[in-house]
Amino acid sequence: MEKSILILGACGQIGTELTLELRSRYGNEHVIASDIREGDAQLMDSGPFELLDATNYEAIEDVVMHYEIEEVYLMAAMLSATAEKFPMRAWNLNMGSLFNVLNLGKERKIDKIFWPSSIAVFGSNAPKEKTPQNTLMEPSTVYGISKQAGENWCVYYFRKFGVDVRSVRYPGLISWKTLPGGGTTDYAVEIYRKAAEQGKYTCFLKEGTKLPMMYMDDAIRATLQLMDADGDKLTIRSSYNLGAMSFAPEEIAESIQKHIADFQITYQPDFRQEIADSWPNSIDDSSARRDWGWSPEFNLEKTTSEMLENLRK
Ligand code: SER
């Protein structure tokens, strides 16, 4: 029998593509999408959908029981920039939803959980280049604090209650299907859209702001690879560092100019600059490579080609 999977936050940037990939692997009927709002037509038409608030334990439990769910992917969260504006709402959403799925695991109502962490768990005092898996973590954003606390709770539930929860620290994610919302790395998606539509872009981060980034196909592949991995091989139950590429806005602009010669970038940094400045420039992901064979496929050039080709259609 195929396993049944529930995605919370299925209509977001990652959730949309993750749901479609899981449906193609496990069959549409076995992959239940849920969110507090409806998603795009492809997501809504390809399989079951439930309107579901990830902070409502009873509502999630009902869906888990109804569909006999075994695995939950918790992709609902408030991202870094929005969380600075609504700290308590961010904390309540990011932590409340995590406790709900961890407690379903503790109660043995589900077998396996995926929950994403982020490069935001590191703060200004961590090494900037090739930031190690284990290092000083003093996050300076509401979002980063929630992710770091969440990582510690994952370890706690794994050790204390044997909950099989798995996690990666995603870098900024670049995709063309669904827009990100309220993150600091969102510029790396906006820039391609504006390049395709208008040939110019005003960036909210300044030149030289180097951040770890990843193309969505790599992020989805990493997620499923980690979920498929033999649990005994996983030495990290907080969250795995995950890397692919690192660049600053002017580098992405240069790679776009190879396709759109007169593309123009200007800079108007806002409050997100401070957030970006506190995050790593690049990531050491050797633990993920060693434990479950992680290896990225997309560099900046390949990402730019894919993004522009799809967005221009
Ligand atoms: N991409 C996220 C953000 O910018 C970080 O995990 O908030």
Side-chain angles (χ1 to χ4, degrees), residues 144-216:
I145 294 170
S146 76
K147 289 295 183 187
Q148 201 215 354
E151 287 189 8
N152 288 325
W153 281 111
C154 289
V155 175
Y156 184 88
Y157 270 71
F158 173 72
R159 293 220 179 111
K160 193 118 184 162
F161 309 119
V163 174
D164 189 357
V165 51
R166 304 176 179 202
S167 177
V168 294
R169 292 171 181 152
Y170 286 131
L173 297 181
I174 302 173
S175 62
W176 56 270
K177 275 196 186 134
T178 312
L179 279 171
T184 301
T185 57
D186 293 9
Y187 95 84
V189 175
E190 285 174 17
I191 193 170
Y192 288 112
R193 293 190 162 247
K194 295 284 180 191
E197 285 162 17
Q198 299 168 12
K200 58 179 191 203
Y201 178 62
T202 303
C203 187
F204 59 74
L205 299 180
K206 65 184 183 201
E207 275 181 278
T209 312
K210 204 176 149 199
L211 287 168
M213 298 278 180
M214 181 176 282
Y215 190 57
M216 186 61 83

Side-chain angles (χ1 to χ4, degrees), residues 79-81 117-120 143 170-173 182-186 279:
L79 292 187
S80 59
S117 184
S118 160
I119 52 167
Y143 176 73
Y170 286 131
L173 297 181
T184 301
T185 57
D186 293 9
W279 288 355

